[in-house]
């Protein structure tokens, strides 16, 4: 095993495990790093590879360590970690060509595991770079004495030739809707809204710039203050956290009346590993199989664990559940009596003071408005009577605090109310003409049930920080240092760059990552393929690949037959001889180039000099030892400029 | 099973192939290609990857899997191209003594602007050598085959193969030049010359053995190039060798019947030693074998002719085409 080859394999393994560094357990990353360094040192110093028993020891210790820190040896995360450790250890016992080959195949396999975590454009580019390095190493394995430059050239050619072929395959390879077998629990990462809301849970989410979903509106987008995307609805409060709770009436259908302001839009939802789907209040139609719950949430059958795209229609004006069942009203009035006595006291005063529920709502909102409440991302910690502390002491909170306190007050004042979580607003991308809704747009608001009006949205945050609703987070928070960078107000050029990038990423998501059997069907139909069946796709694919490979073969093999420059030199010279023959000076069979030139020179003194020059150059190029491309080119130029 | 298939394939591939003459160009009709074991292993890995892609819905995984598959397909063309249009010519194999290695020489010409890498040349017994041929270049490749017994050693059919660039495909071709290498018996390490053959005895030391031109004779393989009568050849009177003689004197006869060993082979081994010693001591010597004799003479050509007679003594007559030097390879015979 040559040193250079070992370095190549080291680099390959390093490149495939590097992207995993941030989600591997720290000690595994360190162990892999140390092993790689050790291997590099051994290779550099030319020392022997470690003994077999030592490797066995490390292998067992490592596997044991992984089993202990993960509490299992099964599952995706553990599998990836083990694979990484084994690949690194395999490098330590590099003896035969077969070992090297195993490492190359392992490296290729590890590239794929990285896609569990990211499939972005940078990841794709990094994959190409890694593949290039691996291929160059791979070639070295089968051509030991090929110098680096031609090796890289061959690797690049292979890769470049494979790219258009891959495009054909990618478009036409019949897609099967996975999964083929049950996936382990940890198969998908989840980020985004949770089905539990406690003080601090949303403000943590706000710190994430991750995209929750993207929306493109068919016609005019609605006003910002109408962009309420409904997520989990919280009914139950235990004094600290809100949860959706459960009801026996969960299959009750909602009733909407007086629908108006129809709006159509398309949502591309990032995977969040939960069943719910997001729609503007209140949804009317959706292109996916989904259910509209009794509290107006949309949810699918299975968790969204891959990016999903759906079209939906909503009515921004509506009246919802004018008649609500008693069970639900009772649920919407539940308050833990043990906590927050002052808040309950205040609510009792309102209840006594006002005759109708709408007035109580107004009273609560003006309470928030007048009592010097602040909207902040970093609220002080609250005690066990969190709502009392918030309402009467700290008076600093985030939307979740306001929604929570408001609903508590309503319930205590005997107004049915519930907390709704979701997203509000979004950033408009004028390059791609769509809205980006990020995790930092997460929001919580309230709904109260008023007799004669049904469920009505009340957003207490709007009273304290109206800017949050009308123009987004950064405008509403005074100290925005805690916000993610893009949620503050970055310079315009950076914003544009970011929007451009997101538009590109969106196309990538739609066309590359979201290319499933439906997309494939739609795309192929648009390309003009009638009745898209997998047989047809397979035939087209085979034909396309065959054609392209044939074209490549033609170009590649033509190289074998092209005449080289020396032949061209001779051909040009013979052509000149023919021209001279026409001019009445044919070359005799025995005559060498110089003799012939001398004869021409005496017969036609006016071209003596150029013809002598050409003849000298010709004999040097044809019979000399040097193969000088520059000289050949010069000769060819001169000979074509020659007048006879 | 696999070996059986191999033999059957070989029989099929070579059903029309006669001996190759002169320069052979490796055309697509002569190059075969199949996946290697590693190629099949990659296919297996790719299937695993594809299952993973489907199961986890990894679009980028599809991209990687397809890229690898297509690189593998293209590597087949590269493997083919690495051998295609190479020109091969068999060279002359110098005679060797038994137990040495016969050095069969092959000249590879690459008339394309494409470097050829890692081509393996091997015979059917597994002796092999690896070489590259630069673009517009030429490589002289020597295949060493151990010579075990005296007589003609044929290279037999040889095969060329390459696994370049990714080792996924085995592209190969057969070559069957009718080249052979003369193998002299291995000389005894030590054997006294026959009686009366000491410098001051029956053998006459000749110092001017090559001086007097004595006529021409037909060329025989192994004759020294300096002795070929080039002018005669230029007059198109055939390939002749100039013979020289030295003044007649006493001669040393290396006689088969004078060798006292038991077996024929040992006798021959002794005679080889005699020839080498006599030549080294510059004695005029003649060779007498049961099937004929060579008159006494001295010089490299004479020595080679003697050794040749000894090497071929009592061997079944093979088709022994005349000129066996360089490109003048024997016409293929079936």
């Amino acid at each position: 095993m040559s040193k250079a080859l070992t370095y190549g394999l080291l680099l390959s393994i390093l490149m495939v495990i590097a992207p995993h560094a941030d989600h591997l357990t720290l000690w595994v990353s360190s162990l892999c790093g140390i092993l790689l360094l050790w291997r590099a040192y051994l290779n550099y110093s030319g020392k022997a590879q470690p003994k077999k028993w030592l490797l066995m020891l490390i292998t067992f210790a490592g596997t044991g360590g992984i089993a202990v820190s993960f509490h299992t040896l099964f599952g995706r995360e553990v599998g990836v970690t083990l694979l990484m450790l084994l690949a690194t250890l395999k490098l330590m016992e590099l003896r035969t060509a077969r070992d090297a080959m195993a490492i190359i195949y392992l490296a290729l396999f590890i590239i794929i595991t990285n896609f569990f975590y990211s499939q972005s454009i940078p990841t794709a580019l990094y994959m190409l770079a890694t593949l290039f390095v691996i291929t160059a190493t791979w070639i070295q394995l089968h051509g030991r004495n090929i110098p680096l430059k031609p090796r890289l050239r061959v690797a690049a050619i292979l890769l470049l030739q494979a790219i258009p072929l891959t495009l054909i395959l990618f478009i036409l390879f019949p897609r099967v809707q996975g999964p083929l077998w049950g996936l382990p629990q940890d198969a998908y990462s989840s980020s985004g809204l949770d089905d539990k809301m406690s003080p601090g849970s949303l403000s943590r989410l706000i710190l994430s710039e991750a995209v929750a979903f993207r929306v493109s509106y068919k016609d005019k987008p609605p006003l910002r203050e109408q962009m309420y995307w409904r997520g989990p609805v919280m009914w139950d409060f235990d004094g600290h956290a809100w949860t959706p709770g459960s009801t026996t009436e969960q299959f009750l259908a909602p009733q909407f009346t007086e629908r108006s302001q129809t709006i159509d839009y398309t949502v591309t939802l990032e995977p969040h590993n939960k069943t719910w789907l997001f729609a503007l209040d209140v949804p009317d139609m959706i292109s996916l199989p989904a259910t509209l719950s009794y509290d107006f949430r949309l949810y699918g059958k299975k968790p969204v664990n891959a990016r999903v795209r759906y079209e939906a229609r909503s009515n921004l004006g509506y009246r919802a559940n004018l008649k609500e069942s008693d069970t639900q009203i009772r649920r919407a009035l539940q308050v833990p009596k043990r906590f927050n006595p002052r808040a309950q006291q205040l609510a009792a005063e309102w209840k006594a003071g006002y005759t109708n529920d709408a007035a109580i709502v107004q009273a609560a909102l003006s309470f928030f408005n007048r009592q010097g409440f602040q909207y902040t991302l970093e609220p002080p910690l609250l005690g066990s009577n969190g709502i009392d502390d918030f309402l009467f002491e700290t008076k600093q909170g985030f939307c979740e605090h306001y929604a929570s306190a408001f609903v508590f007050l309503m319930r205590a004042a005997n107004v049915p109310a519930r907390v709704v979580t979701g997203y509000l607003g979004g950033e408009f991308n004028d390059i791609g003409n769509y809205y980006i809704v990020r995790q930092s747009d997460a929001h919580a608001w309230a709904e109260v049930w008023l007799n004669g009006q049904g469920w009505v949205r009340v957003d207490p945050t709007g009273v304290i920080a109206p800017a949050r609703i009308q123009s987004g987070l950064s405008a509403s928070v005074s100290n925005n240092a805690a916000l993610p960078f893009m949620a503050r107000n970055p310079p315009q050029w950076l914003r544009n760059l970011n929007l451009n990038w997101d538009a590109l990423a969106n196309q990538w998501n739609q066309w590359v990552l979201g290319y499933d059997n439906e997309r494939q069907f739609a795309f192929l139909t648009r390309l003009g393929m009638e009745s898209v069946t997998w047989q047809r796709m397979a035939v087209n694919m085979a034909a396309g690949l065959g054609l392209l490979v044939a074209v490549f073969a033609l170009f590649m093999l033509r190289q074998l037959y092209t005449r080289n420059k020396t032949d061209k030199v001779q051909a040009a010279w013979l052509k000149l001889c023919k021209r001279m023959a026409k001019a009445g000076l044919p070359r005799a069979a025995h005559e060498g180039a110089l003799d012939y030139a001398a004869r021409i020179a005496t017969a036609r003194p006016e071209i003596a000099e150029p013809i002598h020059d050409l003849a000298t150059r010709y004999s040097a190029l044809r019979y000399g030892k040097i193969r000088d491309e520059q000289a050949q080119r010069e000769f060819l130029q001169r000979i074509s400029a020659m007048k006879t | 099973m696999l070996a059986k298939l191999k033999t059957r394939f070989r029989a099929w591939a070579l059903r029309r192939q006669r001996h190759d003459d002169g320069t052979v160009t490796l055309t697509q009709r002569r190059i075969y290609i199949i996946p290697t074991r590693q190629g099949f292993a990659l296919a297996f890995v790719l299937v695993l990857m594809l299952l993973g892609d489907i199961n986890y819905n990894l679009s980028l995984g599809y991209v990687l899997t397809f890229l690898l598959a297509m690189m593998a397909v293209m590597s087949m063309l590269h493997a083919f191209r690495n051998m295609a249009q190479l020109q091969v010519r068999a060279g002359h194999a110098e005679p060797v003594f038994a137990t040495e290695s016969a050095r069969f020489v092959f000249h590879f010409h690459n008339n394309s602007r494409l470097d050829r890498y890692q081509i393996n040349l091997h015979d059917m017994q597994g002796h092999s050598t690896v070489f590259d041929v630069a673009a517009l270049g030429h490589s002289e490749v020597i295949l060493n085959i151990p010579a075990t017994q005296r007589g003609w050693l044929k290279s037999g059919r040889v095969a060329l193969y390459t696994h370049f660039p990714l080792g996924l495909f085995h592209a190969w071709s057969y070559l069957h030049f009718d080249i052979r290498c003369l193998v002299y018996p291995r000389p005894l390490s030590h054997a006294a010359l026959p009686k009366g053959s000491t410098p001051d005895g029956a053998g006459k030391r000749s110092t001017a053995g090559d001086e007097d031109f004595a006529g021409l004779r037909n060329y025989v393989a192994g004759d020294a190039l300096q002795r070929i009568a080039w002018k005669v050849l230029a007059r198109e009177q055939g390939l002749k060798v100039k013979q020289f003689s030295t003044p007649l004197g006493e001669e040393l006869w290396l006689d088969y019947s004078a060798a006292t060993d038991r077996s024929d082979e040992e006798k021959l081994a002794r005679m080889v030693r005699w020839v080498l010693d006599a030549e080294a001591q510059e004695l005029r010597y003649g060779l007498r074998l049961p099937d004929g004799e060579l008159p006494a003479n001295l010089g490299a050509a004479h020595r080679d002719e003697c050794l040749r007679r000894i090497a071929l003594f009592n061997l079944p007559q093979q088709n022994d085409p005349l000129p066996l030097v360089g490109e003048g390879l024997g016409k293929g015979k079936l």
Side-chain angles (χ1 to χ4, degrees), chain A residues 140 143-153, chain B residues 115 117 132:
Chain A
Q140 192 177 18
R144 245 141 263 201
N145 30 27
I146 307 177
L148 182 66
K149 218 170 134 191
R151 195 143 52 79
L152 294 181
R153 222 177 78 91
Chain B
D115 293 319
Y117 299 107
D132 295 345

Side-chain angles (χ1 to χ4, degrees), chain B residues 2-290:
Chain B
L2 209 62
K4 217 178 203 175
L5 270 179
K6 255 186 194 167
T7 352
R8 288 188 67 175
F9 172 78
R10 221 171 257 169
W12 173 82
L14 302 170
R15 71 202 181 283
R16 279 178 314 216
Q17 196 174 0
R18 314 271 189 269
H19 283 176
D20 293 314
D21 296 334
T23 301
V24 167
T25 305
L26 298 179
T27 57
Q28 73 268 28
R29 296 188 53 180
R30 299 183 71 119
I31 299 176
Y32 310 98
I33 198 158
I34 55 163
T36 57
R37 193 172 298 185
Q38 279 174 3
F40 284 114
L42 181 70
F44 179 70
V45 172
L46 287 181
V47 168
L48 279 189
M49 282 184 175
L50 189 63
L51 285 177
D53 300 335
I54 294 173
N55 204 47
Y56 290 94
N57 197 14
L58 299 173
S59 271
L60 220 44
Y62 278 111
V63 173
L64 178 68
T65 313
F66 295 158
L67 264 178
L68 283 170
M70 292 300 103
M71 276 168 67
V73 168
M74 292 315 294
S75 87
M76 181 165 82
L77 270 174
H78 283 265
F80 169 76
R81 187 175 69 156
N82 197 37
M83 300 232 304
Q85 294 297 318
L86 270 185
Q87 295 184 340
V88 199
R89 189 162 56 72
H92 174 58
E94 290 291 336
V96 292
F97 294 100
T99 71
E100 289 179 349
S101 277
R103 292 156 58 86
F104 288 97
V105 180
F106 297 85
H107 298 274
F108 285 85
H109 284 270
N110 179 3
N111 291 325
S112 70
R113 309 174 64 78
L114 192 82
D115 293 319
R116 315 301 181 96
Y117 299 107
Q118 288 283 310
I119 300 176
N120 194 304
L121 175 72
H122 66 100
D123 71 353
M124 296 301 144
Q125 278 75 47
H127 309 106
S128 68
T129 176
V130 179
F131 61 96
D132 295 345
V133 196
L136 300 172
H138 158 248
S139 291
E140 188 183 287
V141 179
I142 294 166
L143 182 62
N144 285 309
I145 300 179
T148 48
Q149 50 188 1
R150 68 182 175 93
W152 288 114
L153 173 67
K154 294 196 168 194
S155 72
R157 178 169 295 123
V158 294
L160 278 172
Y161 76 85
T162 184
H163 286 173
F164 180 84
L166 298 182
L168 302 174
F169 289 94
H170 178 81
W172 79 103
S173 182
Y174 296 110
L175 292 173
H176 197 177
F177 291 112
D178 188 20
I179 45 170
R180 33 192 210 169
C181 173
L182 186 57
V183 182
Y184 305 141
R186 180 181 158 80
L188 290 183
S189 54
H190 179 78
L193 285 173
K195 259 188 197 157
S197 58
T198 44
D200 51 340
K204 185 174 189 293
R205 183 186 291 272
S206 159
T207 48
D210 293 15
E211 267 168 21
D212 299 334
F213 179 66
L216 292 169
R217 66 166 170 82
N218 277 332
Y219 174 84
V220 206
D223 280 340
L225 285 180
Q226 302 95 305
R227 293 239 173 154
I228 292 175
W230 296 110
K231 284 185 183 162
V232 178
L233 184 65
R235 282 195 302 259
E236 301 186 345
Q237 290 174 354
L239 197 56
K240 304 281 182 182
V241 176
K242 286 180 269 190
Q243 273 192 314
F244 298 91
S245 66
T246 41
L248 278 176
E250 276 191 273
E251 289 159 349
L252 172 62
W253 279 97
L254 308 177
D255 196 336
Y256 181 78
S257 53
T260 51
D261 307 83
R262 263 192 217 153
S263 76
D264 292 357
E265 292 307 312
E266 279 167 38
K267 285 181 183 173
L268 293 174
R270 180 175 298 275
M271 291 187 72
V272 171
R273 171 50 55 197
W274 284 346
V275 169
L276 295 178
D277 286 354
E279 181 69 28
Q281 294 173 20
E282 299 186 350
L283 302 172
R284 287 179 51 83
Y285 56 95
L287 184 77
R288 192 173 287 140
L289 283 165

Side-chain angles (χ1 to χ4, degrees), chain A residues 375-423:
Chain A
Y375 187 68
T376 173
L377 269 182
E378 292 151 316
L381 281 176
L382 302 173
S384 59
N385 288 315
I387 290 178
D388 274 5
D389 290 355
F390 167 65
L391 284 177
F392 304 106
E393 309 292 335
T394 67
K395 301 197 175 183
Q396 291 178 29
F398 194 57
C399 54
E400 60 207 349
H401 297 88
Y402 291 101
S404 167
F406 179 81
V407 172
F408 184 87
L409 286 170
M410 288 303 105
R411 287 183 173 188
N414 206 30
V415 180
R418 62 195 183 194
V419 173
V420 186
T421 58
Y423 297 92

